[in-house]
Amino acid sequence: MTQTTSNSIQNIPNKRLSVQVSLTGLSFLVTNSIRTEVLHFSEKTYTKARTPEELLLDIASFVRNDLGEVATVESVKVIYSNPEYALVPSTLFDESKASDYLKFNSKILVNDYIAWDEVQNRGLHVVYVPYVNVNNFLYDTFGGFEYFHVASVMLNLVPSANRFSESPEVFIYVDRASFQMVIQKNGELQLCNAYPYTTPEDFIYYVLFCFEQLELNPDSVKVTFLGMVSEHDSLYEIAYTYIRNIDFMETTDEGLFIEDSLPHERLLLKSI
């Protein structure tokens, strides 16, 4: 899918670039300086997971062939969507022990670079492994830029008022081959985790397993979807077979319109 609102974005000044990076796909969003108009949106989807080195080739190709002069880019922001992350209460977080938070539930290498985002409104740090080759390329090309983990972006996006609801709430962000699930109740975060899926049956298995562990009733709990899911696809259909109260996250960001895309589908990418 490619959307460009002008014949070329290469000579447009003061562009903002947002990139979502996962091993199963890339998304590129270019907006104007004040983030009121989408100048370009495109994505690459891979049938098999790529390596970070292969991802970098496609990112470099986009920057070289589509984006134009580096001087016309005002800011760059990146979301890393991968399962190598852990949540740590900020009161317990120690940056000298960052790798320790990951090594028991993620496969990391000795030379992996460990990063973290502070989610202030939750009192949490999200510790994760970004792709250092991608970071190095972007820094060498653009200078300073910002990057975040998808879990951090999602936790910031979930409306803070909902944190104080007495009823449990479930938010599910669907990506190409995985999904993030956030569950909160009485102002407390009950769960934030990522799960892989290949089939709709994989998807609903993990969802219902979490419901069972947290004693949530699928007939009454409120579930809000965002990401790559719609009322007409198989994930929604199988979810609605077991879960009765399903909705999609609303957005008032109508200016950032992406063709052939529902407002909630690229919500994370548009929010950074």
Side-chain angles (χ1 to χ4, degrees):
M1 177 191 299
T2 300
Q3 170 188 345
T4 303
T5 60
S6 61
N7 292 331
S8 173
I9 61 170
Q10 295 191 6
N11 298 319
I12 297 176
N14 302 323
K15 300 186 289 281
R16 292 175 178 250
L17 171 64
S18 301
V19 186
Q20 188 158 342
V21 179
S22 75
L23 296 182
T24 54
L26 297 167
S27 298
F28 301 97
L29 175 67
V30 182
T31 70
N32 62 351
S33 176
I34 55 176
R35 293 185 58 81
T36 58
E37 181 184 5
V38 172
L39 303 175
H40 173 94
F41 174 80
S42 61
E43 59 185 356
K44 283 184 171 290
T45 302
Y46 309 119
T47 55
K48 294 183 179 179
R50 298 292 181 95
T51 65
E53 292 72 25
E54 290 171 320
L55 290 180
L56 180 56
L57 294 175
D58 283 335
I59 293 172
S61 175
F62 173 82
V63 170
R64 181 175 60 251
N65 298 323
D66 298 287
L67 196 57
E69 293 294 329
V70 170
T72 67
V73 181
E74 183 179 88
S75 68
V76 177
K77 296 186 178 183
V78 178
I79 300 175
Y80 284 108
S81 182
N82 58 31
E84 293 82 26
Y85 77 93
L87 271 63
V88 182
S90 295
T91 54
L92 302 177
F93 177 73
D94 181 346
E95 63 180 69
S96 68
K97 297 181 173 62
S99 62
D100 293 339
Y101 302 125
L102 288 173
K103 66 183 181 181
F104 295 111
N105 61 358
S106 298
K107 184 179 180 180
I108 60 173
L109 303 176
V110 174
N111 60 346
D112 276 341
Y113 177 75
I114 311 298
W116 54 85
D117 302 332
E118 183 178 4
V119 187
Q120 292 184 346
N121 67 339
R122 302 276 183 174
L124 293 170
H125 278 66
V126 177
V127 184
Y128 61 101
V129 180
Y131 302 135
V132 69
N133 64 325
V134 174
N135 277 4
N136 288 342
F137 168 77
L138 294 174
Y139 182 80
D140 291 343
T141 304
F142 299 101
F145 71 101
E146 295 181 89
Y147 61 94
F148 316 91
H149 192 269
V150 66
S152 308
V153 179
M154 185 173 177
L155 287 170
N156 278 315
L157 190 63
V158 169
S160 59
N162 288 347
R163 293 174 56 203
F164 303 100
S165 171
E166 294 183 359
S167 301
E169 295 177 300
V170 179
F171 296 84
I172 299 176
Y173 168 72
V174 180
D175 209 340
R176 296 173 181 89
S178 66
F179 66 96
Q180 301 277 336
M181 185 155 56
V182 169
I183 300 177
Q184 55 192 19
K185 181 182 180 182
N186 295 330
E188 295 183 355
L189 187 65
Q190 304 288 304
L191 180 142
C192 177
N193 206 353
Y195 303 91
Y197 75 92
T198 302
T199 67
E201 289 74 20
D202 298 336
F203 173 79
I204 198 62
Y205 168 81
Y206 285 117
V207 172
L208 294 180
F209 179 78
C210 291
F211 281 17
E212 181 183 18
Q213 296 302 303
L214 294 175
E215 298 182 346
L216 301 181
N217 184 350
D219 290 329
S220 59
V221 68
K222 180 181 179 182
V223 176
T224 300
F225 276 131
L226 60 157
M228 298 179 184
V229 58
S230 72
E231 288 183 306
H232 307 293
D233 65 33
S234 55
L235 290 187
Y236 182 90
E237 289 177 358
I238 198 167
Y240 194 69
T241 301
Y242 298 93
I243 304 167
R244 308 314 303 168
N245 189 4
I246 299 178
D247 205 350
F248 295 96
M249 182 171 282
E250 296 181 358
T251 174
T252 58
D253 197 8
E254 297 178 359
L256 295 184
F257 170 73
I258 296 176
E259 292 177 0
D260 301 320
S261 177
L262 296 170
H264 65 268
E265 286 188 81
R266 272 82 188 184
L267 195 52
L268 296 190
L269 189 62
K270 294 191 292 184
S271 72
I272 62 174

